[in-house]
């Protein structure tokens, strides 16, 4: 029959062994994140070259003075107007219907790509060339889109303006359905 254990001996780790274990953990973490660490060091190097690090260090070292300058700068009417305009712009960006905007941006990119490929061939475009191009489905579609855009730009949107209407009084912008 086995004897009952009366004493438990704890294995004590020396300070040197704990230090070696900690160093191994740090080394493993460094190796595991090697790419991220190298990229971070590269970014820090670029920041140092451009003086960003010394600027940040000076800002943190003179925190109270910098904060005082920022408060004084923010107290000027121009800064107040800038902040108000940024908030208004942010609000307007929030009202954009991105799902409706995406097709237009794709068409815009396509048009820019064609312009980038276009080489000025010095040929004059005459009236007949213009009328002939109206039969081109792509040109015809683009003109139709342009007319719809111009109609939208001409709409009365005064009830949508955020700076003249309270939010509860603003109408929601709805694009009229175009048939044909």
């Amino acid at each position: 029959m086995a004897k009952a254990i009366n004493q438990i001996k704890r294995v004590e780790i020396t300070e040197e062994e704990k230090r070696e274990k900690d160093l191994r953990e740090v080394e493993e973490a460094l190796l595991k994140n090697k790419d991220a660490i190298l990229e971070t060091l590269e970014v820090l190097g670029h920041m140092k070259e451009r003086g960003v690090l010394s600027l940040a260090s000076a800002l943190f070292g003179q925190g109270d003075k910098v904060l005082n300058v920022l408060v004084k700068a923010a107290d000027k009417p121009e800064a107040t107007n800038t902040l108000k305009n940024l908030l208004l712009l942010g609000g307007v960006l929030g009202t954009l219907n991105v799902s409706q905007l995406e097709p237009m941006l794709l068409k815009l990119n396509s048009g820019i790509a064609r312009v980038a490929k276009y080489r000025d061939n010095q040929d004059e475009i005459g009236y007949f060339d213009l009328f002939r191009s109206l039969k081109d489905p792509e040109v015809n579609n683009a003109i139709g889109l342009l007319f719809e855009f111009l109609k939208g730009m001409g709409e009365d949107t005064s009830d949508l303006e955020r700076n003249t209407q309270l939010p509860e009084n603003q109408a929601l912008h709805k694009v009229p359905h175009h048939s044909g």
Side-chain angles (χ1 to χ4, degrees):
M1 188 168 236
K3 286 185 178 181
I5 299 174
N6 293 333
Q7 287 184 333
I8 298 175
K9 278 193 174 181
R10 295 210 166 130
V11 178
E12 299 216 7
I13 299 176
T14 66
E15 191 66 34
E16 183 64 29
E17 290 172 329
K18 182 176 178 350
R19 190 170 190 276
E20 283 182 30
K21 181 183 176 236
D22 289 346
L23 281 173
R24 275 195 307 273
E25 285 180 24
V26 170
E27 183 181 34
E28 287 173 19
L30 286 172
L31 289 173
K32 184 178 178 183
N33 298 297
K34 176 187 143 194
D35 293 336
I37 292 169
L38 290 175
E39 285 182 37
T40 302
L41 290 174
E42 188 176 333
V43 168
L44 285 173
H46 291 304
M47 291 171 72
K48 182 170 177 47
E49 288 173 10
R50 287 167 178 72
V52 174
L53 290 181
S54 56
L55 177 66
S57 177
L59 285 175
F60 288 127
Q62 302 291 322
D64 291 340
K65 291 179 184 176
V66 171
L67 188 59
N68 188 27
V69 168
L70 288 175
V71 167
K72 284 182 182 176
D75 196 31
K76 294 181 180 175
E78 307 89 48
T80 306
N81 286 337
T82 300
L83 288 173
K84 192 164 80 173
N85 288 341
L86 284 173
L87 291 172
L88 182 63
L89 183 61
V92 168
L93 288 175
T95 64
L96 288 178
N97 187 336
V98 178
S99 63
Q100 290 176 336
L101 189 59
E102 182 188 26
M104 287 300 299
L105 292 176
L106 292 172
K107 290 177 186 299
L108 182 65
N109 282 340
S110 179
I112 290 171
R114 283 186 178 232
V115 169
K117 290 179 187 174
Y118 179 76
R119 301 285 178 246
D120 192 6
N121 58 11
Q122 300 293 328
D123 290 340
E124 284 189 31
I125 297 176
Y127 293 114
F128 292 114
D129 295 320
L130 285 175
F131 287 118
R132 195 174 328 125
S133 68
L134 291 175
K135 293 183 187 266
D136 182 340
E138 291 174 347
V139 171
N140 203 299
N141 189 31
I143 291 173
L145 286 171
L146 181 62
F147 284 151
E148 286 301 316
F149 178 76
L150 292 173
K151 287 179 188 177
M153 290 286 292
E155 282 181 5
D156 179 18
T157 58
S158 59
D159 60 332
L160 300 172
E161 293 178 11
R162 297 175 70 94
N163 58 351
T164 59
Q165 298 285 326
L166 294 172
E168 59 269 13
N169 296 333
Q170 293 174 11
L172 293 176
H173 185 65
K174 293 186 173 123
V175 176
H177 181 65
H178 179 66
S179 58

